[in-house]
Amino acid sequence: MKKLYLASLGCVKNLVDSEVMLGKLKNEYEITLNPKEADLIIVNTCGFIAPAKEESIDTILELANEKKENALLVVTGCLSQRYKDILPKEIPEVDIWSGVGDFNRIDEIIKKREKKVFTPNVYLIHNEDRVITGSSYHAYIKLSEGCNQKCSFCAIPSFKGKLHSRDIKEIIDEIKRLKDQGYKDFSLASQDSSSYLRDKGIRDGLERLIDEIDKIDDINVRILYLYPATTTKRLIRKIFSSKNVANYFDMPIQHITPKMLKIMKRPGSINKLKELLYEMKKEFSFVRTSIIVGHPGESEEDFEELMKFLKEYEFDRVNVFAYSDEEGTSAFKRKDKLKDAVIDARVKKAEKVVEKTTHNALKKYLNKEIECFFDGLTEDELFYSVRPKLWEREIDGDILINESETQNLKIGDIYKVKVDELAGNQLIGKIIG
């Protein structure tokens, strides 16, 4: 059988699209982790911000250099779509270019060997057979494509289009199908999950989906990427009361001053934003956010106000992004851009604040007994690794286990863990049942 090497870059939504492509090609190709022996190499690119674009370009060039004679190099995804008129001219080493509307047709595209294939519409997964990667018990579920928001810094709507939601039944069927295959832990993802079904005139779509998820037994679910303007206290309470959906809130705030949120074109008041955030803390929960440092117009006072709020609130995790100047966005046209040195200095300061707030957030787990998924040995084989049911896979870290009262531990099973120690920002505990 011919061999396939796939590099999936960027977000988990891209990963779902990559898994669809693997599903389409699984009868003709077997996966290899060595690109030099692959007959087919696919790069699913990310085109969100400068570092992601650079990683995509570097990966394409590296794989073009490594591929064996007569191997096929296919580049697809967001970067490919965003620069479809430029990249094919600049990187002739690529055999086939396609965009964000072609993942479910990748087998046909490869057979036809067309140089450029860019379907006008964005592809949204339906009932395709995916090959889940990276875990034997966890899977991502895509809720929608596109976004109706108009954030000043974000180019995604320019190549992904408006919000387009999947039907509830289709999502529930996919979860059930994957559960029958042994998957029990799910993460729901989209560009703006709290706006789910608003494109179909339904304002409480995510709440309706949670009701249907709660009819399934023995699964654990987290929802990623809530948007402040479309998140409500009622939705938060629905998550708190859910049987299956964890108290996990991933809501990028980006900034905290009225001036900056207005410049960033983030609708809603600061008071409402803070009310939502403190509502999320009314029960034992996990709150993750993202901030952008150095956006055009950000004064020293704005930055310090943001740092002050991070210290006060103590998010469980914070992603700190340096502003990336992206063509096609309203921020790109602004004249009040900050110097790179100023942005870099603020990013470093923000990261130091976040390191401390993360440490303080981890303290709440000390001496607690929590349910965790077992993930096997760490790479150095010195510890076992477990992940609390509340935490998102890969991005939120793990708990190291140096002692277990239970034998014959199985990956994907849930065990009770007693957290004994916090070393730096690493929790350590033992399995007690």
Side-chain angles (χ1 to χ4, degrees), residues 85-293:
D85 296 324
I86 301 171
L87 287 176
K89 298 173 187 174
E90 296 292 326
I91 314 179
E93 297 94 329
V94 174
D95 299 297
I96 296 174
W97 293 90
S98 69
V100 296
D102 309 301
F103 303 114
N104 63 326
R105 300 174 51 244
I106 194 68
D107 51 340
E108 300 170 21
I109 290 169
I110 289 166
K111 281 176 184 174
K112 291 180 180 178
R113 300 281 182 108
E114 295 177 62
K115 181 71 177 178
K116 287 172 63 178
V117 183
F118 289 95
T119 302
N121 299 319
V122 174
Y123 161 74
L124 178 61
I125 184 172
H126 289 293
N127 294 308
E128 284 82 3
D129 183 18
R130 292 158 55 197
V131 174
I132 307 298
T133 60
S135 177
S136 59
Y137 69 90
H138 171 274
Y140 294 101
I141 305 291
K142 190 179 283 194
L143 299 183
S144 62
E145 271 295 359
C147 184
N148 287 346
Q149 310 304 338
K150 298 176 181 177
C151 301
S152 64
F153 49 84
C154 185
I156 289 174
S158 69
F159 56 88
K160 281 289 188 99
K162 293 286 190 181
L163 178 69
H164 184 53
S165 303
R166 298 175 70 190
D167 292 336
I168 286 179
K169 183 180 184 304
E170 196 174 275
I171 292 170
I172 294 300
D173 287 347
E174 183 178 20
I175 293 174
K176 287 179 177 177
R177 189 166 67 248
L178 289 171
K179 186 194 170 194
D180 289 343
Q181 295 172 25
Y183 294 90
K184 62 184 81 170
D185 188 39
F186 299 94
S187 301
L188 312 185
S190 65
Q191 195 61 38
D192 171 10
S193 295
S194 47
S195 292
Y196 173 66
L197 288 182
R198 288 194 174 210
D199 54 315
K200 298 182 180 180
I202 300 170
R203 297 184 68 82
D204 61 346
L206 200 51
E207 294 171 53
R208 296 187 188 192
L209 178 60
I210 291 170
D211 284 336
E212 295 305 309
I213 286 171
D214 278 346
K215 294 176 183 177
I216 306 172
D217 292 327
D218 302 321
I219 61 169
N220 185 64
V221 177
R222 282 169 305 282
I223 301 170
L224 308 182
Y225 317 130
L226 302 177
Y227 192 84
T230 51
T231 298
T232 63
K233 288 185 179 180
R234 195 172 77 172
L235 172 60
I236 294 167
R237 291 168 189 150
K238 170 68 74 172
I239 290 171
F240 280 150
S241 65
S242 171
K243 178 182 80 171
N244 291 329
V245 179
N247 295 348
Y248 187 95
F249 302 97
D250 181 0
M251 188 171 77
I253 62 169
Q254 310 303 6
H255 221 286
I256 202 63
T257 68
K259 185 193 97 179
M260 286 311 301
L261 290 185
K262 185 176 181 180
I263 287 174
M264 289 176 159
K265 298 188 176 180
R266 306 274 289 179
S269 70
I270 291 294
N271 286 339
K272 188 210 169 187
L273 175 57
K274 289 183 176 180
E275 283 178 10
L276 290 172
L277 289 169
Y278 283 105
E279 187 75 23
M280 292 170 183
K281 280 197 168 185
K282 285 189 174 177
E283 292 192 20
F284 191 85
S285 62
F286 189 103
V287 187
R288 166 182 275 281
T289 198
S290 299
I291 60 168
I292 294 175
V293 173

